Amino acid sequence: MSVVKINAISVPPDKQERFEERFRGRAGAVESTPGFEWFELLRPKEGTDQYLVYTRWSSEEAYESWQSGQDFDRAHDGGGDTLAPAAAQSAHLWSYEVLESAGPRANQENQV
């Protein structure tokens, strides 16, 4: 059963551009981590300053292995002093188990 980790990070409007730059320039090491399944960075549209960092893992153990490793440290050491105050004291990690999942149905007209 997959697990989802959602990091909800409040970022003040004057720091949002820098926060997004950090993710655009991220190392990308998580993609080759055993057990990693998916990553999304969600930008708030209205009513909140919370960005959501969504990752999905094959198991809690896979996530914990990544979190305790050097790739996690490298992925989180960027941003510099200008970013740290924007996120460090306003982040929350939520954990969920995937109970059900769906994707688009295959178009039957295109099947041979």
Side-chain angles (χ1 to χ4, degrees):
M1 178 83 42
S2 294
V3 296
V4 169
K5 300 295 181 175
I6 300 172
N7 198 350
I9 305 170
S10 293
V11 182
D14 64 320
K15 305 254 195 265
Q16 290 178 353
E17 185 176 334
R18 176 67 183 110
F19 182 80
E20 291 177 19
E21 284 176 19
R22 177 183 172 195
F23 274 91
R24 280 192 293 275
R26 65 190 181 84
V30 70
E31 284 92 332
S32 59
T33 301
F36 170 79
E37 296 179 351
W38 202 259
F39 164 85
E40 290 181 316
L41 174 63
L42 307 177
R43 176 193 298 145
K45 290 195 54 134
E46 57 187 48
T48 185
D49 64 356
Q50 279 193 332
Y51 282 74
L52 300 180
V53 182
Y54 172 102
T55 57
R56 189 175 68 218
W57 300 86
S58 62
S59 67
E60 185 70 29
E61 294 76 19
Y63 171 77
E64 289 174 0
S65 178
W66 173 73
Q67 187 183 35
S68 65
Q70 292 179 347
D71 286 339
F72 178 88
D73 291 339
R74 276 194 290 272
H76 292 85
D77 70 0
D81 293 338
T82 60
L83 178 60
Q89 297 178 2
S90 58
H92 304 280
L93 181 64
W94 301 327
S95 299
Y96 296 87
E97 289 181 328
V98 176
L99 295 180
E100 192 172 330
S101 184
R105 293 179 188 232
N107 187 342
Q108 293 181 358
E109 293 176 18
N110 294 332
Q111 292 182 358
V112 178

